[in-house]
Structures are given as C-alpha cells and as structure tokens.
Amino acid sequence: MMPSHPEAILRAVFGYEQFKPLQREVIQNVLKKRDTLVIMPTGGGKSLCYQIPALIFPGLTVVVSPLIALMKDQVEQLRQIGIPAVFLNSSLSPHEYQENMAQVRNGEIKLLYVAPETLLTPRLFNLLESLPLDCLTIDEAHCISEWGHDFRPEYRQLVAARERFPQAVCLASTATATPRVRQDIKSTLRFETSNEFIASFNRSNLLIEVQPKTDPTVQTLRFLERFQNQSGIVYCFARKQVEELAENLSRLEFSARPYHAGLEDKERKANQEAFLHDDIQIVVATIAFGMGINKPNVRFVLHFDLPKSIESYYQEIGRAGRDGLPAQCLLLYNYGDAKKLQYFIDQKEGTERQVAFEHLKALRKYAESDVCRRVPLLAYFGERYITHNCGMCDNCLAEEKKQVEITIQAQKFLSCALRSGEKFGAGHIADILLGAENPKILKFDHQNLSTYSIGKDLSRKQWLHIGDQLLQKGYLERTEHGSLRLTPEARQALKERQPILGVLLEERQPATLIGRQITGAYDEQLFEILRSRRKQLADDARLPPYVIFSDRTLIEMATAYPTTPQRLRSIFGMSEHKLKRYGQIFLEVMQAYCQEHQIEPPLPSLEKTKNAATTPGKKPRFIEVGERYNRGLSVEKIMLEYNVRRETVINHLTLYLLEGNSLTNTDGLPKSTLSLHHQENVLAEFKRHGAKYLNPIFDALQGTIDYSELSIICLYFLVGSQAEDTLPDGFPP
Ligand code: ADP
Ligand code: ZN
C-alpha cells in the first residue's frame, strides 16, 4: 500500500529522511494544483518535486524531457523503487512503443516520460484525452527560451498541450536561473497562478579551485592520482586535445575514454555508457558531454581549458557531487588560454562577438579573483553570497591558513637553532626536530640535544616553511654562510613567550581534505566489497550501478555495518522496495564480513552521529525512546519529535526490549495487519528462532511476510516473553 502523505512517501518509497530545501513547498504547491516554476541547481532534487505528487494524484503525470538518455535512466530508477513508470520516445521499437502505450491506456502507469515532439503527436493527445491527467511536468524548461543556453523550438509548442489539458497542473523545472529565462518560461506556458520557487545555487559540497596552468598534463596527472577508483570528467576546449589527453591517460593506465561530437555515434554512446556503468572512471570530453548525465557519484570535474562562460562553467562543475557528497572542481587557467579564446571571439561578429567577449571578461575576473569563489559565481545568478569563509574554495582555504597561531612551532624551531649553536641552516634544524639519524646529526652529537625529535608532528616541508616565515618576520637572520641566527626580537619573543602568528603549510592538498571527509569514517574494504557486489547486480540487470544503490548508501552501510533488516532499513536511500529486492543480498555480504573480521555492529542509535546520540553522557537513543514511550508519548509523536520513520521507532523499541527493559503500555504499539492465524504462525517462528535476527524468520516463512510486519510482531513477541510466555493484552485482535 502506498502511503499518502509526502513525508511518508519520502521515507517509505524513496528511503530518505528529510526533504531538501524547497521540495516540501513545491510539492504542496503542486498538490494544490497551482502552476509552479522550480529553479534548482543540478542535484537540488527537482525530480522528487513531481514524483511525489504523481504518487498522490489519482491520475497520470506526464513528464516532458528533451533528453532521451535521461528518460530511460529516470524510468529505471523509478522501477527500482516500485513505481510504475514508462517512457515513449523514438528510441523504442514499434513493439515496445505499443506495449508502453497499452500500459498507459490501462491506467497501470503513474508517470509517463515523453519527448516534446512525442507529446505533440495526435496519437498521444488521443491517448491522454481518454485518461485522467493530473500533472504536466516540463523538465529542462529553459529549452523554451531563446535566451537560454539550449533553445528547442518544439518546446514552444508545448502550450498546445496546456490548452488541451487544462485540468492538469503544470510544473516547469530548470537549473537555469537568469531572470530573463524565467520570465520567458512563465509567459510561454501561460502560467496564471504562477508560483516560483528558486533554490540557492550554492553547491556547498563542491570544493572549487583555480590553479595557474603551468604544466597542464602534469597537473592533470597529479590531480587524477588523488581519485583512485572514482568517477570524474575532464573538460577540454578542442576535440584534438580530448583525443590526445584521453590517449595519454590510457597509456598511463588511467581508465579513461574520449567524448566529443566528432566521434562516431556508436563510439560516443559506448563511452558514455561505460562511464555511467562504472566500467571506466574518466571521461575526457568537450562541452558536448554532460547534458542528461544523471550520474550522482561524479567526484571531480577538471577544466583543462577555460570554459566558455561562467554559466557553462557552473553547469559543468555542477555535474560533480550530485549525491551531496564532497566533490572537487579544478580549473587550470592562464593568460595564454584567455588570449586564445579572445582570438576565436575576434572571428565573430556583432552582438555574438560582444556577448562572447563579456562572457570571457566575467570568467577571467572569476579566475583571477582572490575572494571566495562562490561570491562571483553566485552573483552571476543574481544571488548574493555572504559568508565569512566558505571553507570549500581555494581562496577561503588559503585565507584560513593565515589564521593559525604558530607560537609553539616557532619556539621549537628557534630554540633548536639556538641549542645547535646558530651554525646550521633550516634543513639541518628540521632534521634535528624530526629526530633524523643522518651522519651530520651523529657527527655533531645532535641526537643528544633536548630539541632532538620534538617536532615529529610536522613534516620536513612544514618545518622548512616555518623557518622561512621566521626569517621573513625578522626572528631569524641568515649569515653569509647560510646558517640561521636568532635576532634580538627572537630572544625576546622566547623569553616573553610572545604569541607568533603565521601559516601552517597544509601538508595535504584540498583534494585530500575531500578524501578525508568522504573516507575518514567508513570501512573502505567493506565498501569495495559492497561496490563490486553492486556492480555484479547492475551488470546482470544491465543498469548503471547507482540505480541499484547510491555510493552514499554503500558508504553508510560500510559505516554502520547493518546486519539485520531493521538496521538496514534506516540506511540512507533504503526504500522498502529495495530492501525487499536487495536487502538479503547485501545483508549476507555484511554478515560474512563482520564475522570474518569479528566486527560487532554498532547499535543503530550510534550509527548516525547527526542524531547526536553519541554525545558523551547522553543516553543511547533507543533508551530515550523507550523511556519516553513508557511515559506516555505515542509512536506518532516520537516520529515527529525525532523526525524518524515508524520503522525506526519500532527499531528503538525493539532494542529497548532486547536490552531487558519492559514496555508498560502495549496498547500504543503499532498493530499488525495480518490475520490472527498468520500472526500466530509468525509468533511460533519467533519462539523457535528468537528475536535477535529477523532473516531466519523471514526465510522460515518463505518470504511471505515482509520485514515491516515481522518487526511489528517481533515487538509483541518480546513484550510477550517478558510476561512469561503469555500473549500480552495488547496483542492485536
Ligand atoms: P536534479 O534533477 O535537480 O538535478 P535529482 O532530482 O536528480 O536532481 O536529485 C539529485 C539526487 O538527490 C538524486 O540522487 C536524488 O535521489 C537525491 N535526492 C533527491 N531528494 C532527496 C532528499 N530529500 N534526500 C536525499 N536525497 C535526495
Ligand atoms: Zn570560499
């Protein structure tokens, strides 16, 4: 049974805990049948804005999309979570087309994806006229506007569909936000009660960096080396460059393929598919690549050359990190590239030339800027970005570096220089601090200095950098022999323990900062096992792996080690449908892994640090929930208060019971919907197998009873066994 409330659908059908910004508002607006314009950046979650209403409306929702590849992808993803959806476009065989039409006609379908030219055919109009059509969604709505970057004349005709089906509410969505385009969309589609929702264009999970382009191939290699086994895109200006770089990379055993408009159709498609299916990791491409790429786990975008405009730059980097996990974007920039572009622009004429020139100017200003990159980027979309420090761009990270106090390090360095007799250079001082055992140290007996080996917390490079700064700041001076001598200021600073400010060189590059954020917390070995299992399943089903589970879902699994269906259910992206379909397969992987490595899965209440359940001194969440329930708080109230699903509450209560506590009021527990006879069968299995794991019971019942029912009956079983093996009063009739 499909839940009927947006929030409940979000949890049960999509497996997400919370709406992203504006999703709730948009959904409510659409449900009120008000025409709606949604402007959200890529990855903002536009699809859910019509998919959830589509599940609530009694009739059909039609989604117009210009991108055939994307349609297929969306439909596959929906089917994976049990939503009946089909598409109609020119890629289908006549037979498939007929079949899909028939399914729509029979009212079996909730979402129908079509290309605009398909929608406008009399055949489809007739079909739709025989059906209750509740919602007409126009995806990539900027294609309506000549002012957008991807004008499609067919889109202009869509107004005919509006007129023909006036009862259907219209939702137009795009990731292009310029006011001009927005206005165009609304007037072309004749929105009367037009409601506009504009999300922030800040993609806070993207680490943005611009580097002077000095040796681009080497810079590219260095950058790519940080992303082993991860997906990304390298954009080049020219096809020739694409070919060359892709070949170079392949030769160096990077898993890369080219993509540009000059390739044979077949090869281009194959390369794109290989990327989507995680068969290759890197696509080296011209701007021809990317429209309709829905791959959520793109971890980096590298601009080998200057993009065309800020808008296209934003679109291109926007393909990274759609799953919300950190991703990195690097632009290689030099004056020469700007000159080259200028040359191309000079070949153009009139307004076209003027526009291209303005674009280039804005882009150069962006690349050369030393303020937070997000400020000029978002200003372009009319958004004012105010922050002290975004912490996710090169300029802000450099700024952050200035803030550090290096007093202790300075003291160590200065006193080491002093104790070694002020006769050595920075390299030797660093060696002493690091506790090196080289001949020079031994020769001068420096291993016996009190400062020997007290600086192992920093690298040699960092110590040298501290030395440089002390020179610059006038605490040290260099003698003509190159040795370092303390100045009177340094002696005073040491005596008075004066605070010294400076930069602590980041040993790690920003990319590793990302690596740390993504990788720090999870079990990489398990992740790799889960990933290859996912790949197998995906290949068997001929689907891209992310359609089965997102990386984020696997990362959460590799953090929380859920070995029971209950625990698996609370993982990000774990919808009921996917739990049924793949739960057991992944549980087995994790059970085997936990057994082999003797890992005790942490309690679910400890899994999500964001719930603050792990704050020291705080009770585990399940104890808190159990106690509050006993004090009279209903399950519904608990769900609201903790913003969790019913299953999670059941989970907590189960754990509470398993820990030997009791529940006083069994009347308030969720009721099983099974017949009494079935309930008794299930209870008998619990008696046989115990309540610690549900899968033996699921298996014993041949999978006829789903996990959510089992977990409810499990509660009653546990309550019952407390009352010495008698059925509790609250046992549902
Ligand atoms: P857009 O079309 O705006 O680029 P999508 O609709 O493809 O974005 O959503 C981007 C990603 O975010 C998808 O993987 C989607 O499943 C996920 N997503 C959408 N809504 C939520 C949500 N409320 N919580 C978590 N993930 C979400
Ligand atoms: Zn910044």
Side-chain angles (χ1 to χ4, degrees):
M1 245 275 296
M2 187 66 73
S4 61
H5 193 269
E7 217 110 28
I9 295 180
L10 180 74
R11 295 196 176 124
V13 179
F14 292 89
Y16 299 140
E17 284 286 327
Q18 276 168 346
F19 280 117
K20 292 192 177 194
L22 294 184
Q23 281 180 329
R24 179 187 284 110
E25 291 82 350
V26 172
I27 290 168
Q28 272 160 3
N29 207 53
V30 174
L31 287 174
K32 285 185 199 143
K33 291 242 166 173
R34 292 199 191 135
D35 293 337
T36 309
L37 173 59
V38 184
I39 292 154
M40 277 184 190
T42 313
K46 288 185 281 297
S47 323
L48 235 60
C49 294
Y50 59 81
Q51 287 166 348
I52 289 185
L55 296 180
I56 296 174
F57 285 136
L60 179 72
T61 291
V62 167
V63 185
V64 179
S65 163
L67 306 157
I68 291 184
L70 203 64
M71 258 184 241
K72 197 166 144 227
D73 203 77
Q74 294 253 15
V75 165
E76 269 162 6
Q77 297 207 35
L78 289 172
R79 288 196 183 152
Q80 285 296 311
I81 52 173
I83 299 175
V86 291
F87 65 89
L88 290 174
N89 63 36
S90 53
S91 77
L92 293 172
S93 71
H95 175 72
E96 291 169 323
Y97 200 100
Q98 285 296 344
E99 213 161 74
N100 287 355
M101 290 272 284
Q103 283 188 52
V104 176
R105 192 175 302 115
N106 298 338
E108 293 162 17
I109 296 301
K110 295 264 43 159
L111 281 131
L112 168 64
Y113 287 77
V114 290
E117 59 277 10
T118 314
L119 175 65
L120 298 166
T121 56
R123 193 175 176 198
L124 210 70
F125 266 27
N126 290 338
L127 171 68
L128 293 179
E129 230 145 42
S130 67
L131 293 165
L133 178 62
D134 275 318
C135 179
L136 179 65
T137 293
I138 316 235
D139 209 4
E140 313 285 344
H142 58 270
C143 295
I144 276 183
S145 172
E146 283 168 298
W147 291 90
H149 55 76
D150 193 31
F151 175 55
R152 313 224 171 179
E154 325 79 272
Y155 259 69
R156 287 248 174 232
Q157 315 296 319
L158 287 174
V159 71
R162 290 273 293 152
E163 280 161 359
R164 191 80 165 256
F165 307 106
Q167 83 285 5
V169 62
C170 186
L171 172 75
S173 70
T174 171
T176 301
T178 56
R180 181 90 216 204
V181 173
R182 256 182 261 162
Q183 196 43 50
D184 247 15
I185 296 172
K186 286 191 292 185
S187 62
T188 311
L189 289 174
R190 311 214 179 126
F191 275 17
E192 276 162 22
T193 45
S194 69
N195 293 276
E196 238 179 14
F197 295 85
I198 305 174
S200 166
F201 271 59
N202 182 25
R203 299 278 314 276
S204 56
N205 61 324
L206 299 186
L207 184 95
I208 308 173
E209 192 182 355
V210 181
Q211 270 180 19
K213 182 172 177 177
T214 46
D215 191 345
T217 310
V218 172
Q219 283 171 300
T220 301
L221 292 176
R222 224 181 269 148
F223 181 79
L224 295 179
E225 271 164 10
R226 303 169 185 165
F227 296 95
Q228 280 191 10
N229 287 332
Q230 295 182 324
S231 302
I233 309 169
V234 181
Y235 280 110
C236 302
F237 180 73
R239 293 176 189 179
K240 199 166 142 259
Q241 181 68 63
V242 166
E243 298 273 355
E244 226 176 85
L245 187 60
E247 209 182 300
N248 263 333
L249 291 177
S250 302
R251 210 172 316 119
L252 295 167
E253 311 213 330
F254 282 95
S255 154
R257 296 238 189 107
Y259 187 104
H260 59 73
L263 290 177
E264 289 267 343
D265 233 29
K266 213 169 117 199
E267 185 183 355
R268 220 178 49 214
K269 258 201 196 130
N271 291 355
Q272 172 169 326
E273 285 287 293
F275 182 65
L276 294 182
H277 287 249
D278 286 348
D279 293 327
I280 58 162
Q281 274 137 29
I282 303 164
V283 169
V284 185
T286 60
I287 51 166
F289 183 76
M291 261 295 252
I293 294 299
N294 211 1
K295 189 175 165 64
N297 61 339
V298 174
R299 289 272 73 82
F300 63 89
V301 168
L302 169 63
H303 279 89
F304 193 89
D305 294 304
L306 208 54
K308 224 172 54 192
S309 64
I310 290 206
E311 188 171 352
S312 38
Y313 172 68
Y314 181 85
Q315 299 284 349
E316 284 149 22
I317 63 173
R319 289 173 190 136
R322 290 174 70 131
D323 53 13
L325 293 174
Q328 185 166 5
C329 311
L330 172 64
L331 165 64
L332 299 179
Y333 167 78
N334 65 16
Y335 181 69
D337 273 4
K339 283 287 265 204
K340 208 162 66 189
L341 265 181
Q342 183 65 56
Y343 172 79
F344 281 105
I345 290 169
D346 285 339
Q347 318 290 307
K348 302 180 188 230
E349 278 170 11
T351 27
E352 203 192 344
R353 182 174 159 193
Q354 190 55 34
V355 169
F357 177 70
E358 292 296 328
H359 280 325
L360 176 62
K361 209 165 93 185
L363 204 62
R364 285 185 57 180
K365 219 169 126 197
Y366 167 79
E368 288 164 13
S369 155
D370 59 0
V371 300
C372 175
R373 302 274 175 210
R374 290 183 155 72
V375 173
L377 202 55
L378 294 171
Y380 189 81
F381 295 102
E383 195 175 324
R384 205 144 58 104
Y385 184 71
I386 309 168
T387 179
H388 168 61
N389 186 310
C390 84
M392 282 293 274
C393 78
D394 50 354
N395 289 338
C396 285
L397 287 169
E399 175 75 19
E400 260 176 7
K401 284 181 200 154
K402 283 181 203 139
Q403 313 292 325
V404 188
E405 199 193 305
I406 54 163
T407 315
I408 304 280
Q409 291 88 346
Q411 285 172 352
K412 285 183 181 174
F413 196 96
L414 292 173
S415 62
C416 190
L418 192 65
R419 278 161 213 274
S420 55
E422 298 177 271
K423 286 196 287 253
F424 298 91
H428 186 65
I429 294 169
D431 286 342
I432 301 174
L433 289 167
L434 290 166
E437 292 175 7
N438 60 37
K440 195 167 170 188
I441 298 244
L442 299 176
K443 181 176 164 199
F444 291 99
D445 226 13
H446 283 161
Q447 74 277 18
N448 291 322
L449 288 179
S450 61
T451 52
Y452 182 72
S453 185
I454 60 167
K456 287 194 157 160
D457 51 328
L458 296 189
S459 68
R460 192 164 196 274
K461 198 164 135 200
Q462 284 171 313
W463 280 120
L464 294 179
H465 190 236
I466 298 270
D468 280 348
Q469 292 177 76
L470 292 172
L471 268 167
Q472 265 171 27
K473 290 176 197 290
Y475 292 109
L476 288 173
E477 55 194 7
R478 213 190 294 268
T479 65
E480 63 265 39
H481 308 296
S483 51
L484 297 177
R485 195 164 57 198
L486 272 69
T487 62
E489 285 79 16
R491 288 168 206 277
Q492 195 171 356
L494 277 179
K495 208 163 86 195
E496 292 173 7
R497 296 169 194 276
Q498 284 169 6
I500 297 175
L501 291 182
V503 176
L504 203 54
L505 198 67
E506 259 285 351
E507 205 21 39
R508 313 174 189 235
Q509 296 290 320
T512 8
L513 174 93
I514 287 191
R516 203 169 37 200
Q517 279 171 0
I518 310 175
T519 56
Y522 70 84
D523 184 328
E524 289 173 46
Q525 195 186 348
L526 175 57
F527 177 73
E528 284 310 319
I529 298 173
L530 295 170
R531 211 163 78 110
S532 71
R533 194 75 187 87
R534 175 182 68 177
K535 177 75 175 126
Q536 275 170 5
L537 290 169
D539 285 349
D540 291 347
R542 297 200 187 158
L543 292 171
Y546 61 80
V547 174
I548 303 222
F549 283 129
S550 71
D551 280 8
R552 183 157 164 206
T553 303
L554 299 191
I555 286 174
E556 282 206 5
M557 286 188 205
T559 310
Y561 304 100
T563 47
T564 66
Q566 288 116 304
R567 290 179 185 182
L568 195 54
R569 179 175 280 125
S570 62
I571 294 291
F572 174 88
M574 187 60 64
S575 65
E576 285 300 318
H577 203 78
K578 286 190 177 174
L579 185 68
K580 266 195 209 136
R581 195 148 176 175
Y582 302 116
Q584 193 53 34
I585 297 171
F586 282 84
L587 281 175
E588 275 164 18
V589 172
M590 282 179 292
Q591 284 158 356
Y593 184 86
C594 286
Q595 201 165 23
E596 187 190 333
H597 297 265
Q598 300 185 344
I599 292 166
E600 277 290 322
L603 293 172
S605 55
L606 303 180
E607 283 165 9
K608 289 192 177 168
T609 41
K610 70 170 181 204
N611 291 344
T614 49
T615 323
K618 237 182 135 180
K619 279 178 198 163
R621 175 64 62 85
F622 69 93
I623 301 277
E624 215 178 285
V625 167
E627 286 178 357
R628 302 202 64 179
Y629 177 82
N630 276 343
R631 265 184 262 126
L633 207 66
S634 70
V635 170
E636 284 69 27
K637 283 254 172 65
I638 296 175
M639 285 165 62
L640 277 177
E641 202 156 324
Y642 290 94
N643 192 21
V644 292
R645 296 184 273 175
R646 184 180 303 275
E647 286 79 3
T648 313
V649 179
I650 294 176
N651 233 338
H652 285 321
L653 294 177
T654 308
L655 279 167
Y656 185 69
L657 289 167
L658 279 169
E659 289 273 298
N661 306 295
S662 54
L663 293 181
T664 46
N665 166 27
T666 47
D667 284 346
L669 293 178
K671 303 271 183 283
S672 166
T673 57
L674 299 178
S675 72
L676 203 55
H677 169 69
H678 275 118
Q679 292 181 27
E680 272 162 2
N681 282 347
V682 178
L683 272 175
E685 292 302 336
F686 273 114
K687 287 212 178 100
R688 198 165 303 146
H689 298 280
K692 207 153 172 216
Y693 299 108
L694 290 186
N695 42 329
I697 297 169
F698 183 82
D699 287 342
L701 297 162
Q702 270 113 41
T704 50
I705 312 286
D706 67 22
Y707 281 109
S708 60
E709 278 295 346
L710 291 182
S711 57
I712 291 177
I713 298 180
C714 178
L715 264 184
Y716 285 94
F717 170 74
L718 287 168
V719 171
S721 28
Q722 282 172 347
E724 273 137 37
D725 280 315
T726 55
L727 276 185
D729 296 345
F731 194 71

